[in-house]
Amino acid sequence: FLGAGGGNDIQWCFSQVKGAVDDDVAEADIISTVEFNHSGELLATGDKGGRVVIFQQEQENKTQSHSRGEYNVYSTFQSHEPEFDYLKSLEIEEKINKIRWLPQKNAAQFLLSTNDKTIKLWKISERDKRPEGYNLKEEDGRYRDPTTVTTLRVPVFRPMDLMVEASPRRIFANAHTYHINSISINSDYETYLSADDLRINLWHLEITDRSFNIVDIKPANMEELTEVITAAEFHPNSCNTFVYSSSKGTIRLCDMRASALCDRHSKLFEEPEDPSNRSFFSEIISSISDVKFSHSGRYMMTRDYLSVKIWDLNMENRPVETYQVHEYLRSKLCSLYENDCIFDKFECCWNGSDRQVIFHRTVTFFLPPLCSIVMTGSYNNFFRMFDRNTKRDITLEASRENNKPRTVLKPRKVCASGKRKKDEISVDSLDFNKKILHTAWHPKENIIAVATTNNLYIFQDKMN
Amino acid sequence: MFVRGLKRKCFDGEEDIEGTLAGIKAIPSYNLQRQSLLDMSLVKLQLCHMLVEPNLCRSVLIANTVRQIQEEMTQDGTWQMINTQSTGQASLDRLVSTDILCRSSREQAEGKHIPGYSTFNKDFEGDQAQGSSETMSTASSVQAPRNLQSNVWEMENPQENKGNFQKSLDQIFETLENKSPNSVEDLFSEVDNSYYDLDTMLTGMMSNTKTVHCDGLETFSSPTTATSNSNCKSDLNELDHIVEILVES
């Protein structure tokens, strides 16, 4: 009597693509983050030019039951501008590193967006009515000559074309010496954390002039620095628990109740190194680029250069599952080091699905959705999905060539060595400039957003 | 650190020079590979972005790689073999960048005692007085390669050709210190063209996916498939269990 979807493999179809068609990519258009809001109705992207573009899903057309609503531009605004740090003679990039949505509490939507140094809380609100019929003002805003006012009237609201306004409500600045890599909103919906290379700060959403430092791994002597923080996230249910990952492939779970400065972790997750795979690049490829809790909070997923690992929070000494994203790159690590691709930070995400509903006699239990599929990006505009239940995986490509809506995407295969079969692509033909670093999964439906360098692809499952 | 029992090319005698020449094209020795990796890493650390703060994570990872190589080379004593190599006249056909960095470091090491690898990390030290953020200033990073190699090749052998190699290296460092946007071009303008060959050579080395090429630096892993013992079904069983407890049937 389990109500969740499961079992059958999803058939992914192309739905939409957003962004410029030319091959010539303007640097400012490079997408740097993608995030659905809690309902999935809104999809936000951030780019290198400091802009945020929000897409809104159209209301489902009841007559057209075989397709879900399309995403169209809802709001565009300049979130961050380039700044110049005069003290250090260095530019502060306006690139949006992360966007995180707040759960909706009223008519307006709120999101946090951050660049390397400053986090901003944006309010996005709609206006579809305006007051008309003022006593003292003309319709165009000019003030009337008071002597001509002979009657009193009450202004009324009249409909107008929908206008979506974004306004910065809070600016959380000057708290990070190093580059911010993560922001995460607490399950209390009042606080959030921001993490840079060496420190993690805790903020209250209402207070901008103060933050609490909760993790500091900066050594007294910077000469001793060998490890940095790469990602951090709050536990989805425990408001006192968060994790942070490092460049050495470790994840630390911290409890804020233990002490004000969470210097000592409650748990340390680390997989022992495989000695047969040891090379000079071992540490670099073990560096974790993303960490995501499952919806229940029982598991967490980490992404390092070649793999995705699922960890059970109750087991620190090794992951419970490991999925190889592009193992064929292991023999190419030297080239990838030379061209800096080895430092690419891939993100990963869980599927979002309807909550599990269990009926037992007269009682209904609502449980967090099952996290059964993980998705992450790769090179050549390929992205990968792993089904934890069936143990099957699939490689798909985000390309304008598969442009027909409702046509199922063809699985791709990379030929690692030996004879290349038809339709396979050899490792040497992969385009390492075409990388998919950012992907997002709709929280409730099987709709995914996949960002190539400057395009955003939306895929959905084939509905019957 | 490298896989035990792995065959490595020995450096000895004249056989070496021709062998190495051919070796570069076909099967680069572990030491050459390692040296190339070291050179490449040092170049990466030097070429920090001038206008925008360098990526600290990347810098730390590269620095750790350099440290690993240095430790291994010190343990092996393999730097000795490299020094012996350099007596050949056909040096131009080999990794010239190695020569540049090797020879300059020997000159640096003369009369200087470098306190240790720790000075390398001055890269990360910032302006303490102002208490503001630390950045990877190229000026201080310039010190690093010299110090580093002085450590690695502390015991020196007499060398023949100081010549323009040291001059080239100094020019590289000076250009970097100027922090001008043109410095990247300046960096390469004074240097022997075979510097470019380092990159093409490495790419060429690694693009052939023959196992034999990458013996030293990268060992091929046996494919590790996912060995998961638990899956989501355990979640379901737990739920059933909970349901049973909560609702007595």
Side-chain angles (χ1 to χ4, degrees), chain A residues 1-2 84-85 87-93 116-117 177-179 197-198 218 220-230 247-248 274-284 287 296 298-299 312 318-324 327 330-335 337-340 343 345 356 358 360-361 363 365 367 370-372 388-389 391 416-417 427-428, chain B residues 1 3 30 34 37 40-42 44 49-58 60-62 64-69 72 118-119 121-122 124-126 128 130 132-135 179 198-200 202-203 205-209 214 216-236 238-240 242-244 246-249:
Chain A
F1 35 68
L2 187 65
F84 196 78
D85 182 335
L87 210 57
K88 288 183 279 169
S89 283
L90 289 170
E91 260 187 24
I92 298 171
E93 281 192 300
D116 285 340
K117 301 283 184 180
T177 305
Y178 303 97
H179 292 179
D197 296 316
L198 298 179
K218 177 169 178 283
N221 187 352
M222 276 298 267
E223 294 177 355
E224 291 159 14
L225 179 68
T226 57
E227 191 173 10
V228 301
I229 296 170
T230 52
S247 56
K248 287 200 171 172
D274 177 3
S276 66
N277 268 340
R278 185 106 179 85
S279 76
F280 282 116
F281 305 108
S282 292
E283 184 183 312
I284 299 177
S287 175
S296 65
R298 161 99 190 265
Y299 296 99
D312 183 325
R318 60 176 179 84
V320 290
E321 293 153 41
T322 302
Y323 300 101
Q324 301 300 336
E327 180 69 11
R330 196 180 284 275
S331 58
K332 306 281 182 191
L333 292 178
C334 198
S335 302
Y337 179 71
E338 195 210 350
N339 63 19
D340 269 2
F343 300 107
K345 293 192 186 304
Q356 299 173 66
I358 297 184
H360 187 103
R361 296 200 180 173
V363 187
F365 293 93
L367 293 143
L370 269 183
C371 280
S372 58
R388 295 175 67 200
N389 290 329
K391 299 301 171 203
S417 60
V427 185
D428 298 317
Chain B
M1 149 90 205
V3 176
Y30 175 79
R34 182 172 61 183
L37 184 61
M40 187 169 34
S41 304
L42 292 170
K44 279 183 186 299
H49 294 286
M50 302 302 171
L51 276 179
V52 182
E53 268 179 285
N55 185 324
L56 187 63
C57 181
R58 179 175 172 273
V60 167
L61 289 172
I62 297 172
N64 289 350
T65 308
V66 170
R67 195 180 290 120
Q68 270 182 57
I69 298 172
E72 191 184 283
S118 61
T119 56
N121 289 318
K122 277 213 175 65
F124 307 117
E125 227 167 348
Q128 300 292 351
Q130 288 168 336
S132 60
S133 66
E134 288 76 1
T135 61
K179 279 195 185 189
L198 168 68
D199 288 357
T200 43
L202 283 168
T203 325
M205 265 162 39
M206 294 305 155
S207 65
N208 301 321
T209 52
C214 306
L217 274 179
E218 301 145 334
T219 56
F220 284 87
S221 62
S222 46
T224 49
T225 50
T227 51
S228 65
N229 297 319
S230 69
N231 54 31
C232 298
K233 299 243 164 76
S234 62
D235 272 334
L236 297 181
E238 266 193 20
L239 293 170
D240 287 341
I242 292 167
V243 169
E244 270 171 44
L246 288 173
V247 183
E248 290 164 36
S249 48

Side-chain angles (χ1 to χ4, degrees), chain A residues 176-202:
Chain A
H176 285 280
T177 305
Y178 303 97
H179 292 179
I180 297 173
N181 51 57
S182 313
I183 46 175
S184 175
I185 298 171
N186 205 344
S187 50
D188 64 9
Y189 299 141
E190 282 184 356
T191 57
Y192 74 95
L193 63 76
S194 57
D196 67 29
D197 296 316
L198 298 179
R199 298 191 177 99
I200 302 180
N201 294 331
L202 180 71

Side-chain angles (χ1 to χ4, degrees), chain A residues 113-334:
Chain A
S113 73
T114 186
N115 69 348
D116 285 340
K117 301 283 184 180
T118 305
I119 306 132
K120 295 188 185 181
L121 176 69
W122 286 89
K123 175 180 177 183
I124 296 111
S125 48
E126 291 184 1
R127 195 197 293 241
D128 61 356
K129 300 184 258 296
R130 66 156 182 250
E132 285 177 17
Y134 284 103
N135 281 294
L136 301 175
K137 278 197 286 190
E138 303 286 3
E139 292 307 328
D140 61 7
R142 281 179 304 144
Y143 280 94
R144 293 165 71 186
D145 178 358
T147 58
T148 63
V149 180
T150 54
T151 58
L152 191 67
R153 59 181 176 171
V154 178
V156 292
F157 276 101
R158 297 212 191 281
M160 61 179 254
D161 288 339
L162 178 67
M163 201 164 72
V164 182
E165 300 170 318
S167 58
R169 305 303 286 180
R170 305 270 186 280
I171 297 180
F172 305 91
N174 302 320
H176 285 280
T177 305
Y178 303 97
H179 292 179
I180 297 173
N181 51 57
S182 313
I183 46 175
S184 175
I185 298 171
N186 205 344
S187 50
D188 64 9
Y189 299 141
E190 282 184 356
T191 57
Y192 74 95
L193 63 76
S194 57
D196 67 29
D197 296 316
L198 298 179
R199 298 191 177 99
I200 302 180
N201 294 331
L202 180 71
W203 302 84
H204 191 285
L205 283 163
E206 299 292 326
I207 300 169
T208 58
D209 60 356
R210 235 179 310 154
S211 72
F212 292 98
N213 177 238
I214 52 178
V215 173
D216 188 341
I217 65 166
K218 177 169 178 283
N221 187 352
M222 276 298 267
E223 294 177 355
E224 291 159 14
L225 179 68
T226 57
E227 191 173 10
V228 301
I229 296 170
T230 52
E233 195 179 50
F234 265 119
H235 190 277
N237 305 320
S238 291
C239 57
N240 49 272
T241 305
F242 66 93
V243 294
Y244 69 92
S245 60
S246 84
S247 56
K248 287 200 171 172
T250 64
I251 310 104
R252 286 172 175 80
L253 184 138
C254 299
D255 187 330
M256 294 196 290
R257 296 170 300 188
S259 67
L261 184 63
C262 299
D263 269 352
R264 275 180 295 170
H265 50 262
S266 301
K267 296 196 186 196
L268 174 67
F269 298 84
E270 187 174 14
E271 183 172 26
E273 198 176 9
D274 177 3
S276 66
N277 268 340
R278 185 106 179 85
S279 76
F280 282 116
F281 305 108
S282 292
E283 184 183 312
I284 299 177
I285 62 170
S286 75
S287 175
I288 291 172
S289 49
D290 196 14
V291 62
K292 292 263 170 46
F293 275 105
S294 67
H295 302 311
S296 65
R298 161 99 190 265
Y299 296 99
M300 67 179 172
M301 161 165 60
T302 59
R303 175 72 155 97
D304 51 71
Y305 190 62
L306 296 179
S307 67
V308 167
K309 295 180 181 174
I310 314 280
W311 302 80
D312 183 325
L313 255 56
N314 297 318
M315 188 159 76
E316 297 170 59
N317 59 357
R318 60 176 179 84
V320 290
E321 293 153 41
T322 302
Y323 300 101
Q324 301 300 336
V325 181
H326 35 220
E327 180 69 11
Y328 46 79
L329 295 183
R330 196 180 284 275
S331 58
K332 306 281 182 191
L333 292 178
C334 198

Side-chain angles (χ1 to χ4, degrees), chain A residues 406-464:
Chain A
R406 293 199 298 282
T407 312
V408 178
L409 292 180
K410 190 173 129 178
R412 295 281 177 221
K413 190 143 165 51
V414 176
C415 169
S417 60
K419 213 162 154 101
R420 187 179 74 88
K421 298 195 189 73
K422 183 182 169 239
D423 286 349
E424 283 186 358
I425 179 164
S426 74
V427 185
D428 298 317
S429 314
L430 294 174
D431 188 341
F432 289 95
N433 289 320
K434 294 188 178 169
K435 40 195 110 179
I436 291 179
L437 303 174
H438 313 287
T439 60
W441 201 306
H442 190 291
K444 296 193 165 41
E445 298 173 28
N446 285 332
I447 301 176
I448 54 176
V450 172
T452 59
T453 308
N454 65 334
N455 285 167
L456 183 72
Y457 287 79
I458 298 172
F459 301 103
Q460 37 178 285
D461 71 356
K462 190 184 175 89
M463 295 172 82
N464 299 319

Side-chain angles (χ1 to χ4, degrees), chain B residues 53-143:
Chain B
E53 268 179 285
N55 185 324
L56 187 63
C57 181
R58 179 175 172 273
S59 306
V60 167
L61 289 172
I62 297 172
N64 289 350
T65 308
V66 170
R67 195 180 290 120
Q68 270 182 57
I69 298 172
Q70 188 237 5
E71 276 168 13
E72 191 184 283
M73 289 176 92
T74 312
Q75 278 169 23
D76 289 356
T78 48
W79 47 262
Q80 240 172 3
M81 293 196 223
I82 292 170
N83 289 347
T84 325
Q85 257 178 273
S86 61
T87 51
Q89 303 92 331
S91 56
L92 283 177
D93 289 305
R94 294 163 53 245
L95 290 169
V96 178
S97 60
T98 311
D99 285 355
I100 292 174
L101 295 167
C102 267
R103 291 169 187 194
S104 72
S105 72
R106 273 176 243 135
E107 286 150 39
Q108 290 298 319
E110 277 168 42
K112 256 195 228 175
H113 176 62
I114 311 300
Y117 191 70
S118 61
T119 56
F120 178 71
N121 289 318
K122 277 213 175 65
D123 293 350
F124 307 117
E125 227 167 348
D127 195 341
Q128 300 292 351
Q130 288 168 336
S132 60
S133 66
E134 288 76 1
T135 61
M136 181 115 165
S137 71
T138 46
S140 55
S141 72
V142 150
Q143 296 306 317

Side-chain angles (χ1 to χ4, degrees), chain A residues 31-53:
Chain A
I31 298 173
S32 49
T33 185
V34 181
E35 189 82 358
F36 280 99
N37 76 336
H38 290 251
S39 67
E41 187 204 352
L42 299 177
L43 174 60
T45 62
D47 64 26
K48 210 163 177 218
R51 291 166 303 199
V52 171
V53 180

